[in-house]
Amino acid sequence: MLRREITRPYQEIDEDGTHSPPPYPDKTDYSHEATGAAFPEEDPTEGGLSLTFNKACLKSVFSVVLIFIYLSLTAVAAFLAYQTITDFMEKVNHPVMSVRYKEVDQYDAPGIALFPGKAKLLSCQHYYHDIPDVPTRISPGELGGLEDSDCIMKEVVYSGPYSNFTTKQALVVQGPTDVRNQELIFLQFSQNDTEEDFSAISYMIFGKYSDMSMSSDKETFMRDCERNYSLWTFSGGFRTWVKMSLVKTSGRRNESTEFRQESSVVKYNDRRPVEERTDELFFIVFQWRDPFIQEVQDIVTANPWNTFAILCGVFMALFKAANFAKLSIRWMIKIRRSHRKDRSKELNQIT
């Protein structure tokens, strides 16, 4: 039989019989030195720490970018809401004028208030399109003048609208109505007072003659008309031809009626004897210009529903952006906590 020998590490025996430690380390220690102390300057955890730090830095930068996007969206949404409200208020305060023309066969008879002063009315006649261009002159005192007048008129005496001490006498005449047949009213006045440097007769046109005739307080009515309507004048020695047009304006709170005029003046050739020329003559004609009523209406182009829809969209975008920012912040906090936990674990493994 072969005898198995047990190998023991070499040990020196001292003189006193004790064993001295071997001159070489054990295989286990030797292998440990060979595997563990081959490169003592390299740290095996250094690469993991660097990779973790890069990821955390990238996530932090991405979170900052997300917050910047949220702030940008919030600023844009706030500016859009402000601009929408500003535009809406601008359109409400400054409506757009809409103009349309309405064709009529007859107008409501307007009221023509004349202030002759010392002048005397000689004639007032209605004519139509088949009359001569210039109506015949009526001499003072001639028959067929005021006695044969076919005009409807009313004298009103009232105190002035700006001073109670001023008394005014108005001769209110019912204006023409039949625009299709070119109805007109021809009035002639005479004035024998020549002390004034300039002679003229004032007149005023208001909405309806029936409003004055049916009013229980005609003085107050005429005073209000003088406040609201403009006064015009026509001079002696001329024939003034006034062509009227009607403009109705409808606002958000009230409605108004305005008479626009186009006047032409023709000189009167006075062929009377010299002794009769002390009486100055006035001629005026009133006629409708065309059968179209101009209607002006204020239109508010701002649509509250559109503004409401835009604001709803803006606030919804703000809500979504706020929710997005909240989730981003939570995500950042979670990432930082995870990074701190991983770092603490790595530090514990190193120590």
Side-chain angles (χ1 to χ4, degrees):
M1 294 178 63
L2 297 175
R3 186 177 59 185
R4 184 175 59 182
E5 294 181 358
I6 300 172
T7 60
R8 295 179 179 179
Y10 174 77
Q11 298 178 353
E12 294 183 357
I13 301 174
D14 296 334
E15 293 179 357
D16 56 358
T18 60
H19 296 279
S20 61
Y24 300 99
D26 192 21
K27 290 183 179 180
T28 305
D29 296 337
Y30 193 78
S31 62
H32 177 73
E33 291 178 0
T35 57
F39 302 98
E41 70 276 8
E42 294 182 359
D43 190 358
T45 60
E46 184 178 357
L49 287 173
S50 177
L51 182 61
T52 304
F53 176 76
N54 291 335
K55 289 183 178 180
C57 182
L58 183 62
K59 291 179 180 179
S60 298
V61 171
F62 184 67
S63 301
V64 171
V65 171
L66 290 179
I67 292 177
F68 178 75
I69 293 174
Y70 161 69
L71 294 176
S72 300
L73 291 176
T74 303
V76 171
F79 176 76
L80 182 60
Y82 170 77
Q83 192 67 27
T84 301
I85 296 174
T86 303
D87 292 343
F88 179 78
M89 296 304 298
E90 183 72 17
K91 292 178 180 179
V92 169
N93 296 328
H94 300 85
V96 178
M97 293 177 57
S98 173
V99 181
R100 69 187 188 96
Y101 292 89
K102 180 181 178 181
E103 187 175 2
V104 295
D105 293 330
Q106 284 190 345
Y107 285 93
D108 294 328
I112 303 173
L114 299 109
F115 303 92
K118 297 180 180 180
K120 179 181 179 182
L121 178 64
L122 298 181
S123 68
C124 179
Q125 297 290 331
H126 285 261
Y127 296 93
Y128 294 89
H129 59 80
D130 56 349
I131 64 167
D133 189 20
V134 180
T136 306
R137 175 180 61 86
I138 304 297
S139 299
E142 183 180 349
L143 296 177
L146 189 58
E147 292 79 2
D148 295 336
S149 174
D150 58 357
C151 295
I152 300 175
M153 60 186 70
K154 180 75 175 179
E155 286 190 1
V156 181
V157 179
Y158 64 97
S159 57
Y162 307 106
S163 176
N164 294 328
F165 301 100
T166 303
T167 302
K168 290 192 173 183
Q169 183 176 0
L171 179 64
V172 185
V173 181
Q174 182 177 347
T177 59
D178 193 353
V179 63
R180 292 295 181 182
N181 293 322
Q182 299 180 8
E183 179 186 4
L184 58 87
I185 294 179
F186 173 69
L187 296 99
Q188 179 182 346
F189 293 86
S190 174
Q191 183 177 357
N192 57 10
D193 190 358
T194 58
E195 295 178 358
E196 299 179 357
D197 296 332
F198 301 96
S199 57
I201 296 177
S202 301
Y203 68 94
M204 173 182 63
I205 304 176
F206 58 89
K208 295 180 182 180
Y209 178 82
S210 58
D211 293 341
M212 188 278 302
S213 61
M214 298 175 62
S215 175
S216 58
D217 191 354
K218 295 179 175 57
E219 292 79 7
T220 303
F221 179 84
M222 291 301 301
R223 193 160 41 245
D224 295 337
C225 285
E226 190 171 346
R227 286 195 185 99
N228 298 324
Y229 293 95
S230 300
L231 289 175
W232 304 81
T233 59
F234 60 98
S235 301
F238 297 91
R239 186 202 65 188
T240 304
W241 199 301
V242 178
K243 291 189 176 182
M244 305 175 294
S245 61
L246 185 61
V247 179
K248 292 183 178 180
T249 304
S250 300
R252 290 178 294 177
R253 299 178 181 177
N254 54 7
E255 295 183 359
S256 62
T257 301
E258 178 186 359
F259 286 91
R260 295 181 180 176
Q261 305 179 35
E262 295 179 3
S263 59
S264 60
V265 179
V266 178
K267 183 179 181 302
Y268 168 63
N269 296 321
D270 196 349
R271 298 187 179 91
R272 295 176 298 171
V274 178
E275 61 274 7
E276 295 181 4
R277 293 183 183 180
T278 55
D279 296 333
E280 190 172 12
L281 298 178
F282 299 80
F283 307 93
I284 188 167
V285 178
F286 293 98
Q287 183 184 17
W288 289 106
R289 187 186 64 180
D290 52 44
F292 297 100
I293 298 176
Q294 183 177 348
E295 296 181 348
V296 181
Q297 186 176 4
D298 292 339
I299 298 177
V300 178
T301 57
N303 191 342
W305 294 109
N306 291 342
T307 305
F308 180 73
I310 293 174
L311 291 178
C312 286
V314 169
F315 289 127
M316 185 178 295
L318 287 174
F319 175 77
K320 291 293 183 181
N323 191 21
F324 175 74
K326 182 175 68 176
L327 294 177
S328 300
I329 293 173
R330 288 182 179 178
W331 183 66
M332 289 177 58
I333 295 173
K334 184 177 180 181
I335 288 176
R336 290 187 176 183
R337 288 179 180 176
S338 177
H339 174 66
R340 290 177 181 176
K341 186 182 294 184
D342 294 340
R343 187 174 181 82
S344 61
K345 286 181 180 180
E346 292 173 355
L347 293 176
N348 291 332
Q349 290 179 1
I350 292 174
T351 57

